[in-house]
Amino acid sequence: MVRRIVLLSAINWRCSNLLPAANPCIPARSSISSRRFSEKFAGTKHAVERMFSMKKFISVLALILTFVIAASAQSSAQNAPSNLEARAKAAVAVIRGTLNVHGLQQTVRVQRDRWGVAHIYAQNQHDLFFAQGFVVAQDRLFQMELWKRSGQGRLAEILGPSAVQRDINARLLRYRGDMDAEYKSYAPDTKEILEAFTSGINAYVQEIQKPRATGLPIEFELAGFKPEPWKPEDCLNRMAAYSMTGNGVNELHNAQLVALLGAEKAAELLNLDPPVKLDPSPGIDFSGLSPALLENLVGSDVPLHFPETPPQGSNNWTVSGSLTATGKPFLANDPHRVIAEPSLRYIVHLVAPGWNVIGAGEPGLPGVAVGHNEKIAWGFTIFGLDQQDLYLSELNPANPEQYKTERGWERMEVKTETIGVRAGTPITVKLKFTRHGPILWEDGKRALTLRWVGAEPGTAGYLGSLSLDRAGNWQEFEQAMSRWKVPSENIVYADRDGNIGEHSTGLAPLRKNWTGLLPVPESGGYEWSGFVPNGDLPHSYNPASGFIASANHKMIPENYAYAVGFQWAPPERFLRISEVISGAAKSAHKLSLEDMENLQNEVVSLPARELQDLLKRAAGNSPANAAKLLLDWDCTFTTDSQAATFYEFWIAELRDAVTKLAVPAEAQKIAGELSLAKTVKELSRPGVAVFSPSPEAARDALLLQSLQTTEVKLAAKLGPDPKNWSWGQLHRVSFHHPLGSLPQAAALFDRGPVPRPGDGTTVNATYFGGGSFDQLAGASYREIFDLSDWDNAVGINVPGQSGQPASPHYDDLLPLWSHGQYFPLRYTKPSVDRETTDVLELKP
């Protein structure tokens, strides 16, 4: 049973109900070291020794080499772990006392609770966002600086030559439109908010570099560079937006398949929904196109390197008071993103005239992206709109800076920029643009141009929340939806009056004569016809079912009037959420907050159930031991489950075997293995094309043969005794920091490994890939809101609120998260006061 935890003796809380004195300024004390972290788990039943090396997917090779060079310049004494810890502790942010800060208009009070959440109380809006910038920089300055430089196209200045291409792409994607329209798209006062927020960041950087101040965080010392001043436009980062839009890279993959197999056979492999024919333009040449052409084009929220992009999803639901024990709605959300140190999100509480909102957002942005205010709550999952198109240009042999259009040759727009390179000579590059957007690739004969929504005003990720944060009812929520353009999201809603709703929102291009699934010729005939009216996108309000849920699955209704997308996440998480909530309603069980916590941590797999049913028919009345292990299993992925481990090895065999039968041999390398959902579909409805001549018999034989193969491989890997097959021994997570690869720095920066339940198909989705069972992505942030009492809200943000390794809030939430537990998200002032451990007053 998942329990809310207010105090946990296993965690070294600074427990006192008395507010600390306002003076003198006292830095937060050091966090647990990696050794002490391990001790926290040593006594639990899930403690395991490291069996397989963790893939450090956070660090790119250039980052490691550059930082090693920077570190090697330090003395060997400085490199000792004890000295690293001492230096980190000396630089930790001051979170108690009083600071005089230039730029404030009035005094701001910052109360941090025992879980590291900053509750900021300001007397005007300017000071609120100035203080948010100041406070977030205290905890996440290094992370924020990397995010900013990624969006600016200035990583090569700190990482060296290997980051040049990434910088070029960032500059190509930069917003170049009307800045007044850009700011006003999010909220009427966006520019003023961003000016205050970035001024607060800059004020903090100046404060810590004063004489006798703490100095820059240790990350900058080790990395060998300093933060630079922020500007409002730095928050309009399009590299972050790019990774949350689709589907340019998929178009290249689809084009590869069409070139190899033809449009009809390629479409059969893609599992498009709604079903649609691929529509290559007559005479277009896809030869040589592949996703590898855009391999350096990744978002600024993506780690600098990992083996393969893990599937990422999210869950949310809102439940009417008619189904709850309180008589008021519950709303729950757990966005799934890459697992890393520090956490992708930061929890904050913002209070000022016109503002009282708490929740989480990305550190480099003002406001709260997901959370609640005094009247409403909301949460989101990605809504898979197609917001990108690739145009294939023919270049003029006589002048490669001209491209073919329906009017003849037209000249590209060319901009020259200089990219600084660490330990190297600055590089001058040409940025090229056609009428549709930036050229991302060219070979002298052809070029690929990207048209995407990021070129439109108001498409920096999450900034539409500046309007949503202040919505007070469904009508105002709906008005805010038109301002939320990127990322496209399914946003669930609940309010204190008892209403629930959902709106799937985002900027959706209108394509009247093509699907958007393949590159199209630049030479004319393929133009957007505006955007789908926001009010025509899927939405619902107070449905008869009493609840609404989404999990990145297909949210558009059948026969929907607009072609907004064809590729969605499989529905198994949504189906399981619906099964649990509907089951409670049918049994007249009134749902509690604890039920919501349990559901977020659910590890029952519906695909495992489907395969178990097929195996039961194939195995007959006398199943072999391997089959019996699976047939006796409850399809729950607990860390101590032996059957879960066997199942994961088994489905790997099934996917490989069915792929070889269903995918033409010449396309298997390009298409890759069939997804689990596609594999289960083929096995559930065996056809002659795959399992001829006797489909069901052949399918059953494959199921049983794959069991035997699995048993042999698993025994070779883990030994023949099933007692050694527990899922948590294989499936674990580590939190890697970009600097953790420095000599002797892992103990300071990295955390883990921690055994994990679930897999990519369970509600508690713990995705893995890249040839390893290590978790790569999942719910690093969770929230659950009780609309009857905001102080009953709970949340979690792993590993902790701070990115400074000497802070007590660097990893203090990891033990809670690893056991499926939460901490209270206090909201009312008396409740916040009771949990406050650190008070910082910022004065003009």
Side-chain angles (χ1 to χ4, degrees), residues 389 391 406-407 435-436 451 509-514 520-530:
D389 281 308
Y391 288 79
E406 67 277 15
R407 296 184 298 273
R435 58 187 175 174
H436 288 115
R451 182 170 189 187
L510 279 169
R511 304 173 184 87
K512 291 188 175 180
N513 62 320
W514 87 104
V520 292
E522 176 77 56
S523 55
Y526 298 91
E527 301 298 335
W528 292 356
S529 304

Side-chain angles (χ1 to χ4, degrees), residues 20 125 154 163 308-309 384 537 579 703 762:
Q125 179 174 284
R154 297 181 59 207
E308 67 176 31
T309 301
L537 291 171
E579 180 180 83
L703 290 170
T762 56

Side-chain angles (χ1 to χ4, degrees), residues 466-742:
L466 292 177
S467 290
L468 183 53
D469 287 350
R470 291 172 277 186
N473 53 45
W474 175 254
Q475 290 71 32
E476 293 175 5
F477 171 84
E478 284 289 88
Q479 292 169 9
M481 289 300 93
S482 65
R483 295 182 179 274
W484 190 297
K485 301 176 183 178
V486 171
S488 53
E489 304 276 15
N490 308 300
I491 305 185
V492 291
Y493 165 95
D495 64 37
R496 295 271 286 175
D497 292 331
N499 302 298
I500 64 171
E502 185 275 336
H503 195 121
S504 298
T505 190
L507 199 59
L510 279 169
R511 304 173 184 87
K512 291 188 175 180
N513 62 320
W514 87 104
T515 62
L517 289 167
L518 293 167
V520 292
E522 176 77 56
S523 55
Y526 298 91
E527 301 298 335
W528 292 356
S529 304
F531 301 94
V532 177
N534 192 265
D536 289 349
L537 291 171
H539 59 281
S540 62
Y541 184 63
N542 288 332
S545 63
F547 74 96
I548 307 167
S550 75
N552 316 108
H553 66 295
K554 178 185 172 185
M555 291 291 285
I556 59 174
E558 295 301 320
N559 302 314
Y560 186 54
Y562 302 99
V564 297
F566 299 92
Q567 295 171 298
W568 320 93
E572 60 258 3
R573 288 179 288 114
F574 163 74
L575 293 173
R576 179 56 182 165
I577 293 165
S578 300
E579 180 180 83
V580 170
I581 297 175
S582 298
K586 290 176 182 176
S587 65
H589 170 70
K590 295 294 185 180
L591 293 164
S592 66
L593 197 68
E594 186 176 295
D595 290 326
M596 300 295 95
E597 295 173 0
N598 289 334
L599 184 51
Q600 281 193 334
N601 287 277
E602 247 258 2
V603 288
V604 172
S605 171
L606 296 190
R609 281 185 182 173
E610 292 185 70
L611 289 171
Q612 192 180 58
D613 288 342
L614 294 176
L615 180 60
K616 185 176 182 179
R617 291 196 291 270
N621 296 325
S622 302
N625 288 339
K628 194 172 186 307
L629 177 65
L630 291 176
L631 294 176
D632 291 343
W633 179 42
D634 61 2
C635 298
T636 299
F637 279 80
T638 56
T639 55
D640 59 354
S641 173
Q642 300 155 12
T645 300
F646 193 97
Y647 169 82
E648 291 292 351
F649 276 77
W650 182 47
I651 61 173
E653 294 300 317
L654 288 177
R655 289 178 62 188
D656 179 67
V658 176
T659 296
K660 290 176 179 176
L661 294 174
V663 180
E666 65 272 23
Q668 288 175 14
K669 184 176 181 180
I670 295 173
E673 280 194 341
L674 293 180
S675 67
L676 177 60
K678 180 73 170 174
T679 300
V680 173
K681 182 178 179 180
E682 294 286 357
L683 291 169
S684 298
R685 295 192 285 272
V688 174
V690 176
F691 293 102
S692 61
S694 302
E696 290 193 5
R699 184 269 316 277
D700 291 348
L702 185 149
L703 290 170
L704 297 177
Q705 178 58 48
S706 62
L707 280 181
Q708 296 177 18
T709 304
T710 299
E711 197 168 16
V712 171
K713 289 187 176 180
L714 189 54
K717 185 81 172 179
L718 300 178
D721 189 349
K723 292 180 181 179
N724 297 321
W725 296 355
S726 66
W727 179 229
Q729 288 183 300
L730 282 177
H731 186 49
R732 303 186 300 173
V733 67
S734 288
F735 296 80
H736 294 297
H737 190 282
L739 297 175
S741 295
L742 284 174

Side-chain angles (χ1 to χ4, degrees), residues 279-286 518-521 526:
D279 51 351
S281 177
I284 196 167
D285 180 12
F286 290 150
L518 293 167
V520 292
Y526 298 91

Side-chain angles (χ1 to χ4, degrees), residues 14 19-28 93-101 104 107-112 134-135 138 207 836-844:
R14 289 182 297 164
L19 297 184
N23 284 295
C25 292
I26 305 171
V94 172
I95 61 174
R96 283 191 205 173
T98 302
L99 292 175
N100 294 314
V101 181
L104 284 173
T107 298
V108 176
R109 183 177 175 88
V110 181
Q111 296 181 207
R112 279 181 170 85
F134 190 97
V135 166
Q138 286 186 303
E207 177 67 28
T836 295
T837 55
D838 299 281
V839 177
L840 179 65
E841 284 195 344
L842 303 176
K843 293 190 174 184

